[in-house]
Amino acid sequence: MVFYTRYMMHHKSLQTYLVILCTSLLWACTGSKHEPITADNGYDRAAMLTNIADEIILPSYARFKGKLDLMVSQSDSFATKPSAESLVKLRQTWVDAYVEWQKVELFDVGPAEIYTLHSYLNIYPTSTTAIETNISTGTYNFGLPTSYPEQGFPALDYLINGLGATDDEILAKYTTAADAAKRISYLKAVVTQLNTRFIKIYTEWTTNNYRATFISKTNMDIYSSTSLLVNGYVLNYERYIRSGKFGIPSGAMLTDGTTAPEKVEAYYKKDLSLTLAKTAHQASLDLYNGTSALTGTQGPSLRKYLLALDAKDTKTGVSLVAEIDSQFVKVADRLNVLKPNLAEEVSTNNQAMINTFDEMQKLVRLLKVDMTSALSVTITYTDNDGD
Amino acid sequence: MELKGYTDIYLQKNTSAAVLAVFRIALGLLLFISILRFWSNGWIADLYITPQYFFPFYGFEFVKPLGAYTYVLFGLCALSALMVALGWYYRVAMVSLFLSFTYIELIDKSTYLNHYYFISLICLLMVFLPAQVYFSVDAYRNKSIHCDLIPQWCVDVIKLMVAILYVYAGIAKINSEWLLHALPLKIWLPARNDMPVIGFLFNKSWVHYAFSWIGCIYDLSIPFLLLSRKTRVLGYVAVVVFHVLTSLLFPIGMFPYIMIVTALIFFPASFHEKILSVLQKTLRLPKLIGAGVKTLVYSATSLQYFKYGFIVFFALQLLMPFRYLLYPGDLFWTEEGFRFSWRVMLMEKAGYAQFTVKDSSGKKAFVNNTLFLTKLQEKMMATQPDMILQYAHILRDHYASRGFQNPEVYVDAYVALNGHMGRTMIDPTVNLAKEKESFNHKSWIVLYND
């Protein structure tokens, strides 16, 4: 009897289908009256990408470049004439550049992703033994992945903050110590490498106009700017903010909870780690909100896009944007009760570190699962039939 | 015994062998192109050689990846497809095409697509159908197998399979998410709003609803529109428009083209004869088209085998998609009984699975999935409970070999379905290392409505 399907079609059923088709079209069309039409077109991904490129990424890169230039010239002064004064100045320019770096580390898209800028600039804990070996042998290859922990801001942290208990002790390593000249040359090599790595990315965005490419790829496939930006942004928050700054040192990611205070960022500077974490968290919020690094006003953003999509739980009516907004605040609240030295917090007040990690974990889920799903961001490139 | 009488009359009805010949040529060529496309995209390495681990189907664990020999498998598949198109050693080629294609699809669940399953089923049917008796190398070389007419049922089984695909895909769309909330199209369509000319429409709510409803009605009605002579052209235009549109909107590969070509089988014999005569003239082929008198007749015994074979096959096809009713909970959430049911483009699902492995001696590990799985595998695993279990077992065995005593595996699985806020999918207190795969309900899935 299964062979009889071809005789099942009757005119009546055809008419029924046509009637259903027409009424559904009518019904669907009337539904449009309820849609609020807003002047602010949050749907426009080209506008969003333009805002992010021109108001956030480019000015942040330019500002970071300014801080980096100061650090480079100060390291030259220090190398030429190591003194208590030039050490203090170098340290301050390092602090300023490191803080500014937190505002650009999250742009793991385009050239920064291709040339793995993060890996060269901010892998910690730094390897002090490898650094000492490099200094004494004078041979090292900063291009190798194994050398990541021997360069970047963490290596400088060790070289200008970690060589002694006092500035005099540190200075002695660059002046009276037997390997002082070698150490100076290593310090310069680290600074040069850091600068070179960044300039490569900066040139791509400016001289080679990656900006135009970034803005033009408005679709949502795996190579689109929105996909790359969001994937990099979420990865940065998950791996480098949540895990790197809190999860690993606090032991929150290990079920036996072994703490590792020496694994905090800027460990040798001691009082900088919280500032770095707060800056990185704020930068993530600013990118999400489309907050201009120039004027502080909010333009087209991921947040506005989610609002335009009306991303909400159809069962509970909970708005995804409201959830994300409130979770950003909860993380900030946790950060605000911490003391400046996170290594000290791990040793004496680790529960506060774990609490921060837990709230960050909730934010990661919202960004990585709920937000990317609502945006329809592509993760893979193969065929898909949606199941 | 009136029904029996009808059956006998039906079984003796004939149609032109050209219908199945055209279908054979189209199927062979399309599969050949599909494999070339797959190969040239580098997907053979990406999907079947690069991954360290694979997710076989329950009951098909004997299907193993072949490493570098996977290229040989794809080569065999492509060659078979070409031989099928030519009708050259058809039966052997068809069996080889069915087996090689199905083997590939069984290697890793992460790559499961409904249209691959459809192709496997069509290939299986074609193994038993006389598609080589007309316009083929086989029939040219051995005139005795040449036939101009074949039983009508030989064509109708293909039509029935196509009809099942569409109607079941339509039935699957009759749910409140699809019809009342326009989900997941409401999520997917705005992502295409930068398309030229029509892109702006995808931001509009009424368009999401219109697409959802038209899609559902389209699936339910298309086989009937194609079957009726009066509506056939309208139906076919709808097929082309719909599938071209979906291919522009979604990354669904060859599927739209396969369906556009497959639907031709609903056209009358004269249409197919015309295609073949044009083909013969343009390619200047030797005479392959007969005088139109010789009829393929099966013996009564073979007919009985065919009849019961097809009854079993189609009964399975009709029942399989409803097996989900045997499981508790929301089908989209548990995915118990989700595959092999023509549930296409039905849901937006994303997940995040954090595994922890520990043992009695106090060893613990926080698993980094990227060290074990490809992006595609991780994405698929994170939302599908049966794959989460398979991965838990992969982790158990890996850590056991790394000195963990009876490793225990736990997962924190956070999943968002169709834009609803994410929630926990798997009971985080259950040691998955000890759970076993079966067709029974997985009690460690946290049900959606709890």
Side-chain angles (χ1 to χ4, degrees):
Chain A
M1 120 148 232
V2 288
F3 296 113
Y4 281 83
T5 41
R6 59 171 299 181
Y7 304 112
M8 281 165 65
M9 188 68 208
H10 300 296
H11 291 297
K12 264 188 190 161
S13 54
L14 171 64
Q15 280 165 8
T16 320
Y17 278 117
L18 287 175
V19 168
I20 295 172
L21 186 75
C22 295
T23 43
S24 71
L25 271 176
L26 277 174
W27 178 81
C29 291
T30 52
S32 65
K33 282 176 191 158
H34 303 292
E35 190 198 19
I37 295 160
T38 51
D40 180 12
N41 193 350
Y43 276 122
D44 189 347
R45 287 193 297 278
M48 178 179 81
L49 294 172
T50 307
N51 182 56
I52 288 172
D54 292 347
E55 298 292 322
I56 304 179
I57 297 181
L58 284 167
S60 301
Y61 273 156
R63 201 167 289 169
F64 176 57
K65 184 178 180 299
K67 302 286 184 190
L68 209 50
D69 287 344
L70 290 176
M71 188 179 91
V72 172
S73 69
Q74 202 54 52
S75 72
D76 286 342
S77 309
F78 177 77
T80 319
K81 192 173 176 256
S83 69
E85 195 197 349
S86 62
L87 177 62
V88 170
K89 276 188 181 163
L90 172 57
R91 186 177 292 138
Q92 189 54 49
T93 55
W94 169 83
V95 167
D96 294 345
Y98 206 177
V99 170
E100 213 61 37
W101 161 250
Q102 304 292 326
K103 302 177 190 171
V104 300
E105 190 171 14
L106 69 167
F107 311 140
D108 198 13
V109 51
E113 188 206 3
I114 294 165
Y115 299 113
T116 61
L117 183 62
H118 160 85
S119 301
Y120 289 102
L121 265 62
N122 199 18
I123 294 296
Y124 59 89
T126 197
S127 177
T128 55
T129 42
I131 290 174
E132 290 301 334
T133 309
N134 291 346
I135 291 170
S136 64
T137 61
T139 50
Y140 40 85
N141 181 353
F142 281 153
L144 297 174
T146 48
S147 76
Y148 293 158
E150 301 156 23
Q151 56 182 305
F153 287 107
L156 291 175
D157 180 29
Y158 169 69
L159 291 171
I160 60 179
N161 302 309
L163 295 174
T166 63
D167 278 9
D168 286 344
E169 281 181 41
I170 296 170
L171 203 55
K173 298 270 187 185
Y174 292 95
T175 47
T176 54
D179 62 352
K182 285 179 171 179
R183 193 169 296 271
I184 288 172
S185 107
Y186 190 76
L187 175 76
K188 282 190 74 169
V190 171
V191 171
T192 306
Q193 158 78 351
L194 199 161
N195 194 44
T196 312
R197 283 287 152 187
F198 172 70
I199 293 302
K200 195 178 179 79
I201 277 74
Y202 189 69
T203 310
E204 286 295 321
W205 270 91
T206 52
T207 318
N208 297 340
N209 207 3
Y210 175 74
R211 175 195 173 274
T213 315
F214 181 78
I215 290 167
S216 69
K217 286 191 183 171
T218 57
N219 64 13
M220 289 293 262
D221 69 22
I222 185 77
Y223 307 109
S224 69
S225 297
T226 311
S227 282
L228 293 174
L229 177 80
V230 169
N231 281 321
Y233 170 71
V234 172
L235 176 97
N236 179 72
Y237 201 91
E238 178 186 20
R239 211 170 283 173
Y240 307 140
I241 300 180
R242 181 208 66 171
S243 301
K245 300 185 201 308
F246 294 89
I248 293 169
S250 71
M253 296 175 68
L254 299 168
T255 27
D256 63 350
T258 312
T259 60
E262 75 285 0
K263 290 184 178 169
V264 301
E265 197 173 22
Y267 173 69
Y268 300 100
K269 180 69 177 76
K270 296 194 169 68
D271 58 356
L272 189 64
S273 41
L274 178 63
T275 305
L276 296 177
K278 279 184 171 177
T279 310
H281 174 77
Q282 183 63 40
S284 296
L285 177 62
D286 288 345
L287 179 59
Y288 171 75
N289 281 333
T291 308
S292 167
L294 298 167
T295 63
T297 53
Q298 294 186 0
S301 61
L302 290 168
R303 184 178 184 276
K304 284 214 169 70
Y305 188 60
L306 287 172
L307 280 174
L309 291 172
D310 192 23
K312 65 169 183 234
D313 192 316
T314 48
K315 283 194 181 128
T316 59
V318 173
S319 147
L320 178 57
V321 167
E323 288 286 306
I324 295 176
D325 286 352
S326 98
Q327 195 56 39
F328 265 112
V329 173
K330 283 179 187 164
V331 174
D333 288 348
R334 293 293 189 194
L335 289 169
N336 282 332
V337 300
L338 294 170
K339 293 193 195 79
N341 183 350
L342 295 182
E344 192 188 316
E345 289 291 71
V346 169
S347 306
T348 61
N349 186 24
N350 197 35
Q351 192 53 46
M353 290 289 286
I354 292 171
N355 291 343
T356 312
F357 173 85
D358 289 344
E359 293 301 337
M360 286 183 161
Q361 169 65 4
K362 289 178 197 160
L363 184 56
V364 166
R365 288 171 154 191
L366 284 168
L367 298 176
K368 189 171 183 172
V369 178
D370 298 284
M371 182 179 80
T372 54
S373 182
L375 294 173
S376 202
V377 163
T378 314
I379 299 172
T380 53
Y381 49 80
T382 46
D383 297 341
N384 186 353
D385 64 3
D387 54 7
Chain B
M1 299 314 283
E2 209 173 283
L3 183 66
K4 179 138 184 66
Y6 276 126
T7 314
D8 289 340
I9 293 169
Y10 173 74
L11 288 177
Q12 273 154 36
K13 282 189 73 168
N14 290 323
T15 188
S16 165
V19 184
L20 211 50
V22 168
F23 186 71
R24 183 200 78 226
I25 295 167
L27 179 74
L29 289 180
L30 271 175
L31 288 185
F32 182 70
I33 295 166
S34 297
I35 290 159
L36 289 191
R37 168 177 175 267
F38 204 90
W39 199 315
S40 64
N41 282 339
W43 290 350
I44 298 178
D46 287 356
L47 299 181
Y48 298 111
I49 299 176
T50 312
Q52 304 172 63
Y53 298 96
F54 293 87
F55 292 84
F57 287 90
Y58 182 50
F60 290 89
E61 289 84 356
F62 61 88
V63 175
K64 299 280 182 216
L66 303 180
Y69 293 104
T70 312
Y71 286 106
V72 177
L73 182 62
F74 272 83
L76 177 68
C77 193
L79 179 69
S80 309
L82 212 51
M83 285 171 68
V84 163
L86 293 171
W88 188 33
Y89 293 104
Y90 171 76
R91 199 72 71 185
V92 178
M94 199 65 236
V95 169
S96 154
L97 178 59
F98 165 69
L99 290 178
S100 57
F101 191 89
T102 307
Y103 191 96
I104 291 166
E105 299 320 319
L106 289 175
I107 293 175
D108 193 345
K109 255 178 211 177
S110 322
T111 66
Y112 172 81
L113 291 184
N114 283 290
H115 76 264
Y116 291 152
Y117 173 53
F118 174 71
I119 288 167
S120 275
L121 292 177
I122 289 288
C123 286
L124 179 60
L125 287 173
M126 286 290 279
V127 165
F128 299 97
L129 297 178
Q132 83 287 26
V133 300
Y134 196 76
F135 209 81
S136 71
V137 175
D138 286 348
Y140 177 72
R141 290 175 7 144
N142 178 1
K143 297 284 187 286
S144 70
I145 68 159
H146 173 94
C147 289
D148 304 285
L149 297 173
I150 56 171
Q152 175 72 41
W153 61 259
C154 294
V155 174
D156 286 352
V157 288
I158 302 284
K159 291 184 189 170
L160 179 59
M161 195 61 244
V162 174
I164 289 174
L165 176 144
Y166 277 114
V167 172
Y168 274 79
I171 292 172
K173 291 182 174 69
I174 304 177
N175 65 68
S176 63
E177 293 279 280
W178 184 274
L179 296 175
L180 301 184
H181 299 293
L183 284 165
L185 290 181
K186 183 188 167 211
I187 298 173
W188 290 340
L189 288 176
R192 301 286 168 266
N193 66 6
D194 60 338
M195 269 177 76
V197 189
I198 55 170
F200 76 99
L201 286 170
F202 300 139
N203 293 337
K204 309 225 178 281
S205 186
W206 69 265
V207 173
H208 309 156
Y209 280 98
F211 269 56
S212 299
W213 280 72
I214 292 169
C216 178
I217 293 161
Y218 166 87
D219 280 341
L220 289 172
S221 55
I222 213 69
F224 306 104
L225 293 177
L226 288 172
L227 278 168
S228 166
R229 190 171 51 81
K230 284 185 179 168
T231 54
R232 188 170 296 133
V233 173
L234 169 74
Y236 195 71
V237 170
V239 166
V240 174
V241 170
F242 181 87
H243 285 301
V244 167
L245 195 60
T246 55
S247 79
L248 290 174
L249 289 175
F250 308 113
I252 48 180
M254 293 293 289
F255 178 63
Y257 311 104
I258 286 168
M259 294 318 290
I260 286 171
V261 172
T262 302
L264 289 174
I265 199 159
F266 288 89
F267 280 79
S270 57
F271 172 81
H272 294 94
E273 279 158 3
K274 201 164 203 171
I275 292 182
L276 292 185
S277 82
V278 169
L279 211 57
Q280 173 141 28
K281 277 181 197 139
T282 16
L283 298 179
R284 299 193 185 152
L285 298 173
K287 191 169 159 16
L288 294 165
I289 299 171
V293 285
K294 196 180 162 198
T295 305
L296 177 73
V297 181
Y298 285 106
S299 71
T301 330
S302 338
L303 273 181
Q304 287 302 308
Y305 281 125
F306 276 126
K307 196 164 96 180
Y308 291 111
F310 285 130
I311 285 174
V312 170
F313 177 84
F314 283 109
L316 266 176
Q317 288 307 317
L318 292 171
L319 291 173
M320 280 268 280
F322 287 113
R323 72 189 188 283
Y324 78 94
L325 294 170
L326 302 171
Y327 295 99
D330 184 289
L331 170 64
F332 289 4
W333 185 250
T334 67
E335 297 200 37
E336 294 179 310
F338 191 88
R339 295 189 198 99
F340 312 114
S341 306
W342 316 118
R343 300 179 200 284
V344 187
M345 309 296 290
L346 272 185
M347 57 183 187
E348 163 63 33
K349 207 175 181 188
Y352 181 55
Q354 178 59 62
F355 286 80
T356 313
V357 185
K358 39 182 147 178
D359 81 349
S360 46
S361 73
K363 282 187 181 153
K364 281 146 195 170
F366 208 66
V367 179
N368 179 357
N369 295 334
T370 54
L371 299 179
F372 295 85
L373 306 178
T374 64
K375 263 188 179 178
L376 174 73
Q377 288 177 320
E378 186 184 5
K379 175 187 141 144
M380 291 295 169
M381 178 279 294
T383 58
Q384 301 182 45
D386 61 336
M387 293 181 72
I388 286 181
L389 181 65
Q390 283 177 296
Y391 182 48
H393 291 172
I394 289 170
L395 292 174
R396 175 195 63 197
D397 299 342
H398 172 84
Y399 283 94
S401 74
R402 291 294 176 92
F404 279 56
Q405 303 292 321
N406 297 317
E408 296 172 23
V409 183
Y410 300 90
V411 67
D412 173 14
Y414 180 85
V415 176
L417 174 60
N418 272 355
H420 302 300
M421 294 302 297
R423 50 169 92 185
T424 302
M425 186 168 76
I426 305 294
D427 185 341
T429 64
V430 170
N431 173 14
L432 294 174
K434 281 194 169 165
E435 298 298 323
K436 291 195 167 52
E437 178 61 285
S438 76
F439 285 126
N440 293 327
H441 167 60
K442 295 173 172 55
S443 58
W444 37 267
I445 300 175
V446 180
L447 293 182
Y448 203 65
N449 294 319
D450 281 4

